[in-house]
Amino acid sequence: REDSRMKPCAWYCELIAASVCTLLAQTPAARPAEKLQLRFGLAKFADYNPLADIDKIGAWGFDYIEPAVMQTMELSDAEFKAALAKARASKIRVEAMNMFLPGSLKVTGPSVDREKVRAYVEKALARAEALGAKVVDFGSAAARSVPAGFPREQAWRQLQEFLRDCGSHIASRKYGMVIGIEPMQKAESNIVNSIEEAWKLARDTNHPKVRIMADFYHLAVENEDPAIILEAGPYIVHCHISNPGSGRVFPRDEAENPLYAVFFRNLKRIGYSGRMSVEANTDDLESDAKAGLEFMKRMYAKYR
């Protein structure tokens, strides 16, 4: 009798054990935390042309190039086709683009020509997509700076309209990029001068294809607290870096600026694993580019 009472219990326990085993077999094993993998690029800034020099830049060890949208827009269709073929044949690719709008194409103020802006943007983004850009930087200091006497609140709304138009076009065409709002020092632009302000503009714009950048040079010049990276982290899709001393040059050594360490450490803390481009002046591109790349790799390894 005792055995007969225990059989149902044993059968039930076996059933539960089998169910647990089946569930465990169907559940993916927990994966170890993935290591961050920052990608390093060279952005257009001085007299060099990353698109023309893509093979050299790849040979120097960079992961990608960041050419200028404006420079690309100056190419004829035939010239662009040739540049595109060269880029696609290279061992590295275009993954970001800077210098979006020419200064003559205003997006704030009383004389904004939205149709002209739209026509430019559509062609520019089509070329950026063809090249494979994942981020298009919106710095464009002269284009976005607010004309004297023009209401700042209205200019802020105009920037939102412009960014929504860009985001909507990207989404409608199913392009693979986002717009990254670039904070710029007050000496270059009189609006959006900090990561905090770029973050606010992105939130006010409220479009999934509009995010922000963290540019070390502008952060340092404007004395912005790098702690803002910890707050705005989910919106940061791209980074620039250069040495603010000696005329915005390629970074070489951690001792150049005490904020380097905090910048890299905070990017690590938010789990940033996107791209970082060095964007600086140079008299010797090969020497400076190689040194800048080694600096970024060294800092990334040290503070990750």
Side-chain angles (χ1 to χ4, degrees), residues 279-294:
E279 185 189 57
N281 291 306
T282 179
D283 293 321
D284 185 342
L285 180 61
E286 181 173 357
S287 173
D288 286 340
K290 288 179 177 178
L293 178 60
E294 280 304 308

Side-chain angles (χ1 to χ4, degrees), residues 6 48 58 94 101 218 241 243 262 272 275-276:
M6 291 186 66
Y48 53 90
V94 173
L101 305 174
H218 296 293
I241 194 164
N243 176 6
V262 188
Y272 180 73
R275 300 171 183 85
M276 179 181 292

Side-chain angles (χ1 to χ4, degrees), residues 32-52:
E34 294 183 3
K35 293 182 179 180
L36 299 180
Q37 188 56 58
L38 201 62
R39 292 176 64 75
F40 303 108
L42 180 62
K44 163 66 179 172
F45 192 71
D47 295 331
Y48 53 90
N49 182 348
L51 199 54

Side-chain angles (χ1 to χ4, degrees), residues 229-289:
I229 291 171
L230 305 177
E231 298 180 55
Y235 275 74
I236 297 173
V237 294
H238 192 48
C239 294
H240 281 167
I241 194 164
S242 59
N243 176 6
S246 306
R248 193 172 185 172
V249 295
F250 279 70
R252 287 175 174 266
D253 191 275
E254 182 177 355
E256 293 166 353
N257 195 297
L259 292 181
Y260 283 149
V262 188
F263 186 74
F264 277 88
R265 187 179 292 116
N266 286 353
L267 288 174
K268 165 61 173 67
R269 289 179 65 186
I270 65 169
Y272 180 73
S273 57
R275 300 171 183 85
M276 179 181 292
S277 301
V278 60
E279 185 189 57
N281 291 306
T282 179
D283 293 321
D284 185 342
L285 180 61
E286 181 173 357
S287 173
D288 286 340

Side-chain angles (χ1 to χ4, degrees), residues 39 63-67 92-97 131-136 238 275:
R39 292 176 64 75
D63 297 313
Y64 68 92
I65 60 165
E66 183 175 331
I92 64 171
R93 297 287 185 269
V94 173
E95 295 186 14
M97 297 186 77
L131 287 165
K134 304 306 180 187
V135 180
V136 172
H238 192 48
R275 300 171 183 85

Side-chain angles (χ1 to χ4, degrees), residues 96-217:
M97 297 186 77
N98 64 358
M99 302 184 185
F100 191 8
L101 305 174
S104 59
L105 197 63
K106 293 289 294 180
V107 292
T108 62
S111 57
V112 174
D113 186 336
R114 290 193 69 180
E115 289 305 313
K116 188 175 180 180
V117 170
R118 184 175 290 111
Y120 175 93
V121 164
E122 289 182 1
K123 183 176 180 180
L125 293 179
R127 289 192 168 188
E129 174 70 11
L131 287 165
K134 304 306 180 187
V135 180
V136 172
D137 311 344
F138 175 49
S140 308
R144 83 185 190 200
S145 287
V146 185
F150 191 78
R152 186 178 179 87
E153 296 79 9
Q154 188 173 343
W156 192 259
R157 289 194 296 272
Q158 288 177 319
L159 289 175
Q160 292 177 58
E161 290 171 358
F162 166 74
L163 290 165
R164 283 196 200 103
D165 285 347
C166 290
S168 296
H169 185 71
I170 291 169
S172 68
R173 294 296 190 277
K174 295 182 170 57
Y175 289 164
M177 69 191 69
V178 295
I179 301 295
I181 304 170
E182 181 177 13
M184 303 188 81
Q185 63 167 321
K186 293 184 182 72
E188 297 178 42
S189 173
N190 60 7
I191 194 166
V192 192
N193 307 118
S194 64
I195 293 175
E196 183 173 16
E197 200 173 3
W199 183 33
K200 181 179 183 340
L201 179 57
R203 283 178 290 151
D204 288 351
T205 300
N206 192 29
H207 196 290
K209 293 295 185 179
V210 177
R211 290 295 182 260
I212 69 172
M213 294 176 52
D215 188 306
F216 179 84
Y217 172 80

